[in-house]
Amino acid sequence: MHALELSLTLTRPAFKLAVDLLLPARGVTVLFGPSGSGKTTLLRCVAGLERATGRIAIGDTLWQDDKRAHFTPTWQRAVGFVFQEASLFEHMNVQANLNYGIKRDGQTGGQTALQAAIELLGIGHLLDRTTDNLSGGERQRVAIAIALLHKPDLIIADEPTTALDVTIQAQILELLRELQRDMGMAMLLITHDLGIVRKMAERVYIMQGGKIVEDGKTERIFTDPQHAYTKHLLAAEPKGKPPGADTSAPVIVQTDDLKVWFPIKSGLLQRTTDYVKAVDGLSLRRREGQTLGVVGESGSGKTTLGLAILRLIASKGPIAYVGKRIDELNTRQMRPLRKEMQIVFQDPYGSLSPRLSVSQIIEEGLLIQEPQLDYAERRERVGAALKEVGLDPAAQDRYPHEFSGGQRQRIAIARAMVLKPKFVMLDEPTSALDMSVQAQIVDLLRDLQKKRNLAYLFISHDLKVVRALCNDVIVMKNGKAVEEGPAAEIFSNPKQDYTRALLAAAFNLTATHEAALAD
């Protein structure tokens, strides 16, 4: 296969895409840039999902020229796409999803290609399962199989591991690399994660505002960046240390032997035959002004633990808030405490209603918890909350779609802070954000904590962010705490093999790196 030549121009109101890429055959090229830089728009143009002018060619085969696009079924088979979230039919099982891919392409010998993809990806045991019963890693393996059905010359992967925990990320990336090498494909990997760039790329293109601002071999980009924007991105990883732990600070939240078991029912009478032990005997204590990080693979029970502490799902075992037992309180009795125990969700796109203005979103809690406030007072509180998270108070009449991902997450944080809480559960609040925005959000959370003496429960699979923000860490697996203690100790001297595996996947450690991390 010859190199892929790509030169595209797309003009929209307030945005212009103009890129030139040369992707070597049988190599991995990474397109790196923050949210809003145009990475996914470029992908849509290459897929023929968005109209653009320019030239796309593989060797001597021209697929698009300046006048028209030639996005025939042959082109669709020449390029495979793996998207950020596996796009599968939820009502179909895995076999039906794969069969649909073969039928759509109308490919001769499709069943042979299907069997090859199943064997390559090791998904034979999943064929009869519906896609809503798959883990994130299993779903992404099925999506990769569909992309490989027609043996493409080029595979384009758009943030394929963003929603996955660190160990599954490592598995999927290694799988993509092996497939690319064994099948002799070119790969264009789109990401905002510097760790993925270091691990996967042979050549890197840096994108900003719809343009390529720098490109070169990976080693040169990291050791000798030329463009100011590249230097900014490389310096943007979350840094700093959490505030020192004050052992005399009052305890805000405490649990002892907490359990959340979901019954498994079977038979005609639907009797309970077993339990899924999502949280199984976990104890924790969080003081004012301190952050507890909860890490572990998907399905380990992290989010379930947080929801149980907030009394949003049923659990067994004592839960105390500011010294008062709350595990036996009903919904009405819990309502006055809701303003003091807030939550910030993972997805800044899905957690904000697109039908409401920013002001309406943030004031929702005030309408319930402080009904005595009039319109002007609520508006003043909303403006103050926006200013506190670094947004212009004048923007409160705009809608969520008018903001970037990082700005949306600031709005979600403002929604929690407007009620002046004492305890905040942060459920993967930075996982959907690019590296530079992650660093900004970490700094913001640290500043808010210092200003208000907040207690945080920080749930994440991003260990770099955990290291920058958390005083203590609990490592969860299958509902249990396999290791816990001060964050500095966990990161420098992990006791359990599972913890070491998580750290190795997160930091791509060698012996040298381990020594540096310990320092």
Side-chain angles (χ1 to χ4, degrees):
M1 190 193 94
H2 299 287
L4 172 73
E5 173 195 342
L6 190 152
S7 178
L8 285 178
T9 301
L10 171 72
T11 301
R12 285 178 177 170
F15 182 78
K16 183 176 181 179
L17 176 74
V19 296
D20 291 286
L21 303 178
L22 187 64
L23 312 182
R26 299 178 177 85
V28 178
T29 303
V30 168
L31 183 63
F32 178 73
S35 302
S37 61
K39 304 187 302 294
T40 299
T41 301
L42 172 63
L43 169 67
R44 291 177 58 83
C45 293
V46 175
L49 300 174
E50 195 144 350
R51 187 179 296 277
T53 60
R55 173 184 171 85
I56 300 177
I58 297 179
D60 299 328
T61 305
L62 181 67
W63 296 104
Q64 175 173 309
D65 55 29
D66 291 332
K67 296 180 180 179
R68 63 188 293 267
H70 308 275
F71 292 114
T72 63
T74 305
W75 164 256
Q76 294 170 4
R77 288 194 291 270
V79 182
F81 296 93
V82 180
F83 298 98
Q84 180 171 348
E85 293 189 9
S87 301
L88 305 175
F89 293 106
E90 300 294 337
H91 63 286
M92 295 181 181
N93 63 20
V94 170
Q95 180 76 61
N97 272 273
L98 293 167
N99 287 339
Y100 180 82
I102 291 291
K103 182 179 179 181
R104 180 198 63 192
D105 292 331
Q107 182 182 355
T108 303
Q111 288 303 318
T112 302
L114 174 59
Q115 289 305 316
I118 291 171
E119 291 177 14
L120 277 170
L121 289 144
I123 57 174
H125 64 292
L126 304 176
L127 297 179
D128 293 329
R129 290 167 58 180
T130 55
T131 55
D132 58 341
N133 287 318
L134 303 179
S135 69
E138 289 169 340
R139 289 173 62 88
Q140 203 62 293
R141 281 177 177 266
V142 174
I144 293 169
I146 293 172
L148 297 178
L149 287 175
H150 42 275
K151 297 180 180 178
D153 295 322
L154 168 70
I155 187 165
I156 300 178
D158 182 21
E159 303 277 10
T161 61
T162 296
L164 306 177
D165 61 72
V166 288
T167 52
I168 303 301
Q169 277 185 13
Q171 293 171 20
I172 294 298
L173 290 173
E174 188 59 34
L175 175 64
L176 284 169
R177 177 185 274 170
E178 289 178 4
L179 291 170
Q180 174 270 325
R181 184 173 54 244
D182 294 345
M183 298 180 70
M185 301 180 293
M187 180 185 293
L188 176 61
L189 186 60
I190 298 172
T191 185
H192 64 245
D193 189 323
L194 280 172
I196 292 175
V197 177
R198 289 191 183 104
K199 184 173 184 177
M200 296 288 289
E202 298 165 21
R203 187 174 186 85
V204 182
Y205 286 86
I206 308 294
M207 197 167 186
Q208 180 191 26
K211 296 180 180 179
I212 303 299
V213 297
E214 186 170 356
D215 69 278
K217 291 185 177 180
T218 305
E219 184 179 354
R220 201 277 299 165
I221 291 290
F222 278 95
T223 59
D224 186 27
Q226 301 298 308
H227 197 278
Y229 185 67
T230 308
K231 296 176 183 177
H232 165 72
L233 289 177
L234 295 179
E237 290 189 357
K239 294 181 175 66
K241 295 181 179 180
D246 180 2
T247 56
S248 64
V251 175
I252 300 298
V253 169
Q254 182 172 347
T255 69
D256 293 294
D257 196 27
L258 186 69
K259 296 180 181 179
V260 181
W261 292 10
F262 298 110
I264 299 174
K265 299 179 182 293
S266 61
L268 182 64
L269 299 178
Q270 289 293 286
R271 291 192 174 95
T272 298
T273 57
D274 203 350
Y275 292 90
V276 174
K277 299 177 181 180
V279 177
D280 191 19
L282 200 142
S283 303
L284 62 85
R285 178 182 296 178
R286 192 59 358 214
R287 295 181 182 274
E288 184 181 86
Q290 297 172 22
T291 303
L292 174 65
V294 183
V295 303
E297 295 176 314
S298 298
S300 60
K302 304 186 301 294
T303 298
T304 304
L305 169 65
L307 295 176
I309 291 172
L310 291 173
R311 301 287 294 125
L312 295 174
I313 57 174
S315 62
K316 290 185 178 180
I319 303 172
Y321 171 72
V322 196
K324 178 183 178 182
R325 287 279 296 270
I326 63 172
D327 50 284
E328 296 178 351
L329 300 183
N330 60 33
T331 302
R332 183 181 59 80
Q333 293 168 328
M334 276 297 300
R335 179 169 290 183
L337 297 178
R338 292 295 179 201
K339 65 180 296 184
E340 299 180 20
M341 305 175 73
Q342 285 292 299
I343 184 170
V344 176
F345 296 97
Q346 175 177 357
D347 183 7
Y349 298 89
S351 65
L352 306 178
S353 172
R355 298 180 179 86
L356 300 180
S357 68
V358 169
S359 176
Q360 291 171 317
I361 289 169
I362 296 176
E363 74 172 359
E364 217 168 4
L366 293 174
L367 289 169
I368 297 171
Q369 295 290 350
E370 301 185 38
Q372 75 280 4
L373 297 178
D374 60 26
Y375 174 77
E377 290 171 324
R378 289 197 307 273
R379 207 168 163 80
E380 183 179 350
R381 288 276 293 274
V382 169
L386 287 172
K387 185 176 181 180
E388 189 174 36
V389 299
L391 294 176
D392 185 356
Q396 60 182 293
D397 292 320
R398 294 164 60 189
Y399 286 80
H401 72 272
E402 300 178 67
F403 296 87
S404 69
Q407 290 171 326
R408 286 189 182 110
Q409 197 61 290
R410 288 175 184 268
I411 292 168
I413 294 170
R415 176 174 57 184
M417 295 301 165
V418 76
L419 291 170
K420 301 178 180 179
K422 294 181 180 179
F423 173 76
V424 182
M425 169 187 166
L426 300 151
D427 189 9
E428 302 274 14
T430 62
S431 65
L433 306 176
D434 62 73
M435 198 75 70
S436 58
V437 179
Q438 278 187 6
Q440 295 170 17
I441 295 299
V442 167
D443 289 341
L444 171 63
L445 292 172
R446 194 185 284 125
D447 290 343
L448 289 170
Q449 183 177 52
K450 183 178 180 181
K451 179 181 177 180
R452 297 189 176 201
N453 265 336
L454 293 167
Y456 288 150
L457 181 70
F458 189 83
I459 297 168
S460 182
H461 64 248
D462 191 330
L463 298 186
K464 294 176 184 177
V465 176
V466 171
R467 183 175 60 179
L469 194 62
C470 299
N471 303 96
D472 300 287
V473 173
I474 290 178
V475 182
M476 289 189 69
K477 182 180 182 182
N478 298 330
K480 293 181 177 292
V482 297
E483 189 164 357
E484 56 186 300
E489 183 177 324
I490 295 289
F491 280 97
S492 63
N493 187 30
K495 301 292 192 301
Q496 301 296 320
D497 290 341
Y498 179 71
T499 308
R500 286 193 284 268
L502 288 178
L503 292 173
F507 297 101
N508 193 23
L509 297 179
T510 63
T512 303
H513 291 141
E514 287 181 345
L517 186 62
D519 293 339

